[in-house]
Amino acid sequence: MSDSSLPAPTTLPAADRPEAAARLREALLGVSFTADGLLELLGAPAYAALARSETVPALRATRGDTPLELLVRLFLLQQPAPYARVADVLPVEECLETGWLARSGADELAATVDVRPYGGSDGEDWFIVSDLGCAVGGAGGIGSREEGVVLGVGGASTTLAGITVRAPAGSALDLGAGSGIQALHASRHATRVTATDVNPRALHITALTLALSGVPAADLREGSLFEPVGDDETFDLIVSNPPFVISPGARLTYRDAGMAGDDLCRTLVQQAGERLNEGGFAQFLANWQHVEGEDWQDRLRSWVPRGCDAWIVQREVQDVTQYAELWLRDAGDHRGDPAAYQERYDAWLEEFEARKAKAVGFGWITVRRTAAAAPSITVEEWPHSVEQPLGDAVRAHFARVDYLREHDDAALLDGRFRLAGEVVQEQVGLPGAEDPEHVVLRQHRGMRRATAVDTVGAGFAGVCDGSLSAGRILDAIAQLVGEDPALLRERTPAQIRMLVEQGFLEPVD
């Protein structure tokens, strides 16, 4: 679907007037209506409060009469502003004609959409367009418009953007585009960007986001999952923050899967493999059920398409009551009729009980198309803090998978390694003890992993600077500790392999 053929609801600006969006963009930038300008104006506490859907601190911080304060109140806080004052800052008549603004009373103007400044990873000044009241946080009970509402930037959106591999790509697919943030990021490193969504309003808003951000228009297509994509179309990158919420029904288009249990996420992952070019990545946020009597890791391994490596990270687990409460509150149901809230809560628990689901996991799924005869599938739980962006760390993980797959133990001992940057050693033991009970290596970058090693592993890692082969280092350690070098060479490769796999050691050849 081209931009010009997108549906044009009267409540949204025109998506086929890029020149008007360009002039509005110029005016916004002219008064520092940017992510940096917003942070400087509001201060860190009020800026952070906006991400929690709390607007009072920002309202208090914009009680002056500067052009920037005016635009924050107008576009982010949905406060009407005097026509004459807005005309000093924006091309008012063109904004009225193209629908970015609407008249409110005799002499005031109001925004028709949320416009939130957003900083790109390389310092770009972008703007995310969304429905009124939905620029930050969840829908929060927005009433009768909730069915097709389009949200702005949330934690899930930025998480996916952060973990996405940013290698140059000939083609990228943003599946379930929403407000267009993933397509926006992809435009910086992909020659061709395709964005799909089942909600035509989302496609319209994606077009506005791209135009107002000054990036090329994407190929926008309406439909569910991979339906809008031709059978012969493949991509170097597929990203999706799908409506992954496991719920009884599909009341909220932006979040509810509308399929039984976690079938939507499973289907999305399974169908991605045949849509990837060799070496291409597909990256998703997802929810999955923890089913009674079933190993959750085995459940996720079964999702991985043939011919693909995979790295799946579970970041959080909630029991079914916590999960239901989270998403009922997201929709604002707790603020309405108590009886209706209880009825919906009961329906969620009924659904989980029928599926024997005892908990729900949340995390990241990355699959990569490979020609390897034995694809690698890693499923792990890592609920601890990480350092975003992680795109380079994700790409490095799969590079290490390739290295380890191509090197048996003998080749591993012939290889040379370097200790990764910002890895420290911690020793745990009783005060005054001669030897530590545990030696732990800890990363301060990327995944920030920690792993216990024995004294040989710690000594080996500390010596690795890329100059000596692993075998020669082990021979030297064997001489120091009085151990048979052959036996040490036999038992240590498994530990070296683990340190490489987790990113503590980097191959240098």
Side-chain angles (χ1 to χ4, degrees):
M1 177 183 297
S2 66
D3 289 355
S4 60
S5 63
L6 287 174
T10 57
T11 55
L12 293 177
D16 58 352
R17 294 287 300 275
E19 74 289 349
R23 281 188 282 272
L24 175 57
R25 170 180 171 81
E26 183 178 359
L28 297 177
L29 295 178
V31 296
S32 298
F33 187 65
T34 63
D36 289 341
L38 202 62
L39 179 59
E40 183 177 353
L41 170 68
L42 300 180
Y47 189 81
L50 276 178
R52 302 190 300 269
S53 301
E54 297 292 349
T55 58
V56 172
L59 285 167
R60 291 178 59 82
T62 57
R63 290 178 292 187
D65 195 38
T66 67
L68 181 55
E69 288 170 303
L70 175 78
L71 294 186
V72 171
R73 291 196 301 270
L74 183 66
F75 284 115
L76 269 182
L77 305 177
Q78 281 83 63
Q79 302 294 305
Y83 180 103
R85 187 71 188 94
V86 177
D88 291 336
V89 182
L90 302 178
V92 166
E93 289 304 318
E94 187 172 42
C95 286
L96 284 169
E97 178 190 348
T98 54
W100 289 96
L101 298 175
R103 293 190 178 274
S104 176
D107 57 356
E108 288 189 320
L109 298 174
T112 59
V113 287
D114 275 303
V115 175
R116 182 180 183 181
Y118 178 77
S121 55
D122 293 324
E124 302 93 344
D125 288 319
W126 289 335
F127 299 96
I128 305 296
V129 179
S130 62
D131 271 311
L132 290 173
C134 296
V136 291
I142 56 172
S144 61
R145 295 185 299 114
E146 63 186 14
E147 173 64 27
V149 73
V150 180
L151 270 62
V153 180
S157 300
T158 55
T159 293
L160 179 59
I163 67 172
T164 299
V165 173
R166 298 298 174 194
S171 56
L173 171 64
D174 177 7
L175 196 153
S179 59
I181 179 175
Q182 309 306 330
L184 192 57
H185 278 282
S187 71
R188 304 302 295 162
H189 63 100
T191 303
R192 175 174 59 88
V193 178
T194 302
T196 71
D197 205 292
V198 70
N199 181 5
R201 188 176 185 85
L203 293 175
H204 191 116
I205 285 181
T206 291
L208 297 176
T209 289
L210 298 179
L212 196 59
S213 296
V215 305
D219 178 8
L220 305 178
R221 307 182 192 180
E222 183 182 343
S224 177
L225 299 177
F226 288 100
E227 291 174 2
V229 180
D231 292 339
D232 58 344
E233 288 187 87
T234 55
F235 302 87
D236 299 309
L237 174 68
I238 299 172
V239 292
S240 183
N241 176 20
F244 53 67
V245 176
I246 301 170
S247 62
R251 183 163 60 103
L252 302 178
T253 304
Y254 74 88
R255 68 162 207 198
D256 293 330
M259 296 174 69
D262 51 20
D263 282 356
L264 182 138
C265 291
R266 175 186 56 79
T267 301
L268 189 60
V269 174
Q270 289 180 335
Q271 292 183 356
E274 63 188 17
R275 302 293 185 177
L276 286 174
N277 294 324
E278 186 70 29
F281 289 91
Q283 298 185 263
F284 313 98
L285 300 185
N287 276 182
W288 44 79
Q289 297 173 132
H290 285 229
V291 179
E292 185 178 346
E294 183 178 351
D295 185 289
W296 69 270
Q297 292 179 318
D298 289 342
R299 182 182 185 85
L300 290 176
R301 287 188 185 94
S302 73
W303 290 10
V304 179
R306 290 186 178 183
C308 289
D309 295 321
W311 183 22
I312 302 173
V313 182
Q314 180 167 273
R315 296 286 291 156
E316 184 179 0
V317 181
Q318 292 184 321
D319 67 52
V320 292
T321 60
Q322 292 174 310
Y323 188 81
E325 290 163 15
L326 169 67
W327 293 109
L328 289 169
R329 287 180 175 273
D330 171 81
D333 290 334
H334 62 301
R335 299 173 184 161
D337 177 21
Y341 172 77
Q342 291 180 6
E343 183 179 348
R344 280 180 173 164
Y345 196 157
D346 186 67
W348 282 64
L349 297 185
E350 185 75 19
E351 178 78 7
F352 285 127
E353 183 178 344
R355 301 194 170 279
K356 298 183 179 180
K358 57 185 179 179
V360 177
F362 167 82
W364 318 326
I365 298 177
T366 300
V367 299
R368 181 190 61 165
R369 192 76 186 174
T370 180
S376 167
I377 300 176
T378 300
V379 183
E380 62 176 316
E381 185 167 17
W382 188 253
H384 310 293
S385 64
V386 298
E387 182 191 44
Q388 285 275 34
L390 276 170
D392 288 344
V394 172
R395 182 161 48 163
H397 166 87
F398 286 94
R400 294 192 299 269
V401 165
D402 289 339
Y403 178 88
L404 293 172
R405 188 159 44 203
E406 296 164 2
H407 289 72
D408 60 16
D409 286 355
L412 206 64
L413 293 175
D414 287 337
R416 293 177 294 124
F417 302 93
R418 182 185 298 111
L419 187 66
E422 298 194 36
V423 173
V424 299
Q425 176 179 304
E426 300 173 356
Q427 298 185 170
V428 181
L430 294 174
E434 184 175 346
D435 296 315
E437 295 179 13
H438 303 285
V439 178
V440 175
L441 299 182
R442 186 178 300 277
Q443 302 168 348
H444 284 272
R445 302 295 301 273
M447 290 292 288
R448 293 177 175 166
R449 295 185 185 277
T451 189
V453 293
D454 60 21
T455 53
V456 170
F460 178 87
V463 174
C464 284
D465 61 3
S467 61
L468 297 175
S469 71
R472 290 187 61 185
I473 293 174
L474 290 179
D475 290 343
I477 292 175
Q479 186 174 4
L480 285 174
V481 300
E483 188 170 340
D484 184 340
L487 292 177
L488 194 61
R489 279 175 170 256
E490 183 178 347
R491 70 177 176 85
T492 306
Q495 190 166 195
I496 297 174
R497 196 170 290 275
M498 180 272 293
L499 292 173
V500 172
E501 181 181 11
Q502 295 191 2
F504 290 93
L505 295 178
E506 299 171 347
V508 297
D509 57 345

